[in-house]
Structures are given as C-alpha cells and as structure tokens.
Amino acid sequence: MTDEYLVSQNLDRIKKSDTNIILFGEVGCGKTTIINKLCGVDLLTKEGGYSCTRDAQYAYTPDGSIIIDFPGYNTAEEAAKHLKVQKSTLSVIPVRII
C-alpha cells in the first residue's frame, strides 16, 4: 500500500470530505474487499488467514464519499484496542456512517 491511501498521511483531505464512512470488524470479514469493489481501487486484501491492513486506509467512492478501512481484529483485547483508535479518529474526522 502506498501513502496515497493512508489516513494518517491524508487527514487534511479527509477532514474536508462531506461524507466519511468507517468500516471496522474482524479480520477477513471483507472490509477491504468492499472498498476495492465500491471505489475501483486495488488495496491489498487478506491472504493466508492474516490481515493485510496494518494502518487505517481510505478510498473515494464514485460519488466523492470517503470510505475508511480500519485494520481487523481477532480477539476481544484487539477489539478494545481498535475501539480506542477509532474513538481518537472520530474526534478529528467527521463521520456520517459507521
């Protein structure tokens, strides 16, 4: 993945979007695949049972909305950690759909 799709590298661009959509869930549930299909991008997806998404990434939908993809989680401990990251993200990025 290039920096082009990393949320942390593009916060100013994302903050200006009228509609941001966040996807989160377990490893391998299809978050990145949904983004690839809806946005016409080719972000790396799950291979061999392991999450490929290491950092929050995003892509534009055809209507200009932004879908943000968080790394997946497998355990309750990982889910709690991810919720903290998502909470901090929501404090700086306006989100309409989760």
Side-chain angles (χ1 to χ4, degrees):
M1 175 178 44
T2 66
D3 286 351
E4 175 183 5
Y5 294 107
L6 290 180
V7 168
S8 60
Q9 302 292 321
N10 297 283
L11 272 177
D12 289 337
R13 178 186 298 171
I14 293 167
K15 285 180 186 178
K16 293 176 185 173
S17 173
D18 289 334
T19 304
N20 293 312
I21 302 163
I22 289 183
L23 300 179
F24 65 96
E26 293 181 21
V27 170
C29 70
K31 298 175 301 294
T32 305
T33 300
I34 288 171
I35 288 179
N36 285 341
K37 298 290 184 185
L38 290 176
C39 302
V41 295
D42 191 24
L43 301 175
L44 191 59
T45 57
K46 178 182 168 188
E47 293 179 0
Y50 298 98
S51 173
C52 295
T53 306
R54 300 284 179 238
D55 296 297
Q57 57 192 5
Y58 77 98
Y60 286 99
T61 65
D63 71 356
S65 299
I66 292 178
I67 301 179
I68 300 170
D69 178 17
F70 280 96
Y73 55 83
N74 283 322
T75 65
E77 184 177 295
E78 288 177 342
K81 177 183 167 189
H82 283 263
L83 288 172
K84 288 179 184 177
V85 171
Q86 292 159 12
K87 181 180 177 185
S88 67
T89 301
L90 292 173
S91 70
V92 295
I93 297 174
V95 176
R96 303 235 191 291
I97 301 170
I98 299 176

